[in-house]
Amino acid sequence: MLLILAIPITVLIAQQQQEIRQRASEPVTSPYPTTEIGFTPDSLQIAPTQFAVTNLWLHTPESITGVNLMITFTPLFADIISFTPSTAFDSVVKNTIVRVSSTFGALYITLVNTNGLPPTGNIQLGTLSVKGISSGTSTINIGNQQLTALGKTDAVTNVTKYYTKVVVALPTNTPTPNPTNTPTPVPPTATPTSTPTPVILTGDINADGFIDILDFNTWRDEFIGIRTTKLSDLNHDATIDLLDFNIWRNAFNPSPTGSQ
């Protein structure tokens, strides 16, 4: 009986992996020739204590396997209360809001796709809930980002970022912001110095001879700091990040030989 039930599941997994290989080998026909990330609407006007919602989106020709973002804001005027991820990715690794001071707050988001078909084209990442605090203007910026894509070992480059402006006051004419690349300094982090432990297979993080979800769990725990080991540093750059996840992900769902 168990054997009969296992056959359809095995066939389904094989079909998913075949679709992934076919997508990686097909030429790009996306209506989005470049990668852009931003918000809709791109400006908000609210009164103190009122709430508003803005949607976070990603337009790209790539098949995205992971998204790592730091979104900055000014809590004195407009505070990000929550981020609700969409269903575009099957795992939310990080969704944390940190308010360092009244003039600097940051929302840290990490979304990954561990299996199945990675999203591409017009990707809705989720919604931000914003609360007006006091009269003034706050700009919600995408400060730092790292995107990984199917079949690639390096992060996606040449990403255009757009911001959204939040005016907290009685209703007035809201100026329309011009999209710009607005880099924000990343708070300093400790630089790991430990030597990465070699693995038997590329992507076999726990060295058990298999590339499976247990390896992903090890990467996730090290990425968010539950574990202090560096087993997941697959590209040996002394940092546990989405590039390491993408190496595991490409080994778990391999692309055809020669795909970019």
Side-chain angles (χ1 to χ4, degrees):
M1 183 66 179
L2 292 177
L3 179 60
I4 295 175
L5 293 175
I7 291 175
I9 296 175
T10 303
V11 171
L12 176 60
I13 293 174
Q15 289 176 341
Q16 287 182 339
Q17 293 181 340
Q18 180 63 26
E19 289 177 358
I20 292 171
R21 296 187 183 99
Q22 289 176 350
R23 173 182 288 188
S25 62
E26 291 174 353
V28 174
T29 57
S30 171
Y32 303 99
T34 61
T35 298
E36 301 176 329
I37 187 168
F39 305 91
T40 301
D42 59 7
S43 64
L44 298 169
Q45 182 166 316
I46 55 178
T49 73
Q50 286 187 337
F51 292 85
V53 171
T54 183
N55 297 310
L56 179 63
W57 51 259
L58 172 65
H59 296 163
T60 180
E62 307 287 351
S63 295
I64 300 297
T65 58
V67 176
N68 189 31
L69 301 176
M70 182 182 75
I71 298 174
T72 62
F73 59 98
T74 307
L76 175 64
F77 302 122
D79 195 10
I80 293 180
I81 302 302
S82 65
F83 171 73
T84 304
S86 71
T87 58
F89 295 87
D90 59 28
S91 183
V92 180
V93 179
K94 186 180 294 184
N95 184 359
T96 304
I97 299 174
V98 177
R99 299 170 183 87
V100 179
S101 66
S102 63
T103 59
F104 182 82
L107 166 64
Y108 297 92
I109 304 169
T110 304
L111 310 171
V112 298
N113 180 284
T114 59
N115 204 352
L117 296 175
T120 187
N122 180 11
I123 306 172
Q124 299 301 310
L125 299 178
T127 57
L128 280 72
S129 177
V130 182
K131 180 182 179 181
I133 302 300
S134 61
S135 296
T137 300
S138 176
T139 302
I140 300 177
N141 291 305
I142 300 171
N144 188 30
Q145 101 287 324
Q146 187 180 56
L147 309 175
T148 54
L150 183 67
K152 294 189 174 182
T153 57
D154 296 326
V156 176
T157 57
N158 300 321
V159 179
T160 302
K161 297 177 289 185
Y162 299 89
Y163 62 81
T164 187
K165 182 178 290 185
V166 183
V167 177
V168 183
L170 294 177
T172 57
N173 292 329
T174 304
T176 302
N178 294 320
T180 61
N181 290 326
T182 312
T184 302
V186 180
T189 57
T191 302
T193 56
S194 58
T195 302
T197 302
V199 295
I200 298 174
L201 300 172
T202 300
D204 181 18
I205 296 172
N206 62 1
D208 65 353
F210 300 95
I211 300 174
D212 53 21
I213 204 68
L214 296 179
D215 303 303
F216 165 76
N217 289 340
T218 300
W219 169 83
R220 179 195 59 200
D221 291 347
E222 292 181 346
F223 179 76
I224 64 178
I226 294 178
R227 297 179 57 168
T228 58
T229 54
K230 302 295 180 184
L231 300 177
S232 305
D233 185 17
L234 297 178
N235 62 355
H236 309 300
D237 64 353
T239 303
I240 306 298
D241 55 18
L242 274 185
L243 296 179
D244 302 304
F245 160 78
N246 212 39
I247 292 173
W248 168 82
R249 208 264 185 207
N250 288 331
F252 184 60
N253 287 303
S255 301
T257 302
S259 64
Q260 299 298 317

